[in-house]
Amino acid sequence: MPIIEIKTIIKADIKTCFDLSRNIDFHQHSLEHSNEKAIAGKTSGLIELGESVTWEATHFGVKQKLTSKITAFERPYYFVDEMTSGAFKSFKHEHIFKYEEGKTLMVDKFQFESPFGIFGKLANILFLKRYMKNLLTTRNEYLKIKAEEIIPLEHRN
């Protein structure tokens, strides 16, 4: 099962970073290039423990739907979303936040399992793991920019 871990340092408070990370509207803006839209379940605002969202997006030229549910939640330090239906055989996405020396360390741990047995494993090696890492990195860079815009300049280090 491939595991992707991305660490992002953000010059913003932990609560801002945590809330942006679970904000449905923000998520849609951060992935506009894939035409990602929340179409069922929680479709706007801040997603909470036990809530689900169904996303529709275009990846690899194919329109897809994916439903995930918040299965763990400890504001503002940690939450997990897990796929309940979609293109993957399974996925678990951990969002971890630590506040250190005036900055927030945001850690994404994304583990997934592709369908189609050996063909899925081959897809992981050839392109899927890299694609998912780029998607998460793009979203995190957007979150970093927006979170740092929210914090007044005089509060930055």
Side-chain angles (χ1 to χ4, degrees), residues 6-17:
I6 300 169
K7 295 180 179 180
T8 307
I9 296 173
I10 305 167
K11 293 178 184 174
D13 68 280
I14 193 170
K15 290 178 184 176
T16 297
C17 298

Side-chain angles (χ1 to χ4, degrees), residues 24 27 36 40-42 47-48 50-55 65-71 80-86 91 93 95:
I24 303 290
H27 183 90
E36 193 135 342
K42 180 78 171 183
I47 196 162
E48 302 281 349
E51 293 183 323
S52 295
V53 58
T54 299
W55 298 100
K65 290 182 183 176
L66 183 141
T67 301
S68 65
K69 180 177 183 176
I70 303 299
T71 59
V80 176
D81 60 285
E82 295 187 63
M83 187 192 81
T84 57
S85 68
F91 87 56
H93 186 180
H95 306 259

Side-chain angles (χ1 to χ4, degrees), residues 44-106:
S44 68
L46 300 177
I47 196 162
E48 302 281 349
L49 180 64
E51 293 183 323
S52 295
V53 58
T54 299
W55 298 100
E56 183 178 79
T58 303
H59 298 285
F60 307 111
V62 178
K63 191 177 276 193
Q64 302 175 31
K65 290 182 183 176
L66 183 141
T67 301
S68 65
K69 180 177 183 176
I70 303 299
T71 59
F73 191 89
E74 185 184 337
R75 185 176 193 270
Y77 305 105
Y78 181 77
F79 74 94
V80 176
D81 60 285
E82 295 187 63
M83 187 192 81
T84 57
S85 68
F88 294 97
K89 187 173 180 182
S90 68
F91 87 56
K92 179 180 181 181
H93 186 180
E94 295 178 88
H95 306 259
I96 303 158
F97 302 84
K98 297 176 185 170
Y99 195 68
E100 304 169 341
E101 299 176 15
K103 298 174 189 141
T104 298
L105 171 63
M106 182 174 72

Side-chain angles (χ1 to χ4, degrees), residues 142-156:
Y142 187 76
L143 191 146
K144 176 181 171 67
I145 290 166
K146 293 303 177 186
E148 290 178 353
E149 284 176 359
I150 290 170
I151 305 303
L153 245 79
E154 63 269 13
H155 292 98
R156 293 187 193 168

Side-chain angles (χ1 to χ4, degrees), residues 111-152:
Q111 55 188 1
F112 65 96
E113 191 171 354
S114 298
F116 311 121
I118 191 72
F119 296 110
K121 289 179 183 179
L122 187 59
N124 292 344
I125 293 166
L126 293 176
F127 63 89
L128 192 54
K129 184 174 180 181
R130 182 174 55 247
Y131 181 83
M132 292 307 301
K133 184 173 183 178
N134 288 340
L135 192 73
L136 292 169
T137 299
T138 296
R139 183 176 182 279
N140 288 357
E141 288 173 0
Y142 187 76
L143 191 146
K144 176 181 171 67
I145 290 166
K146 293 303 177 186
E148 290 178 353
E149 284 176 359
I150 290 170
I151 305 303

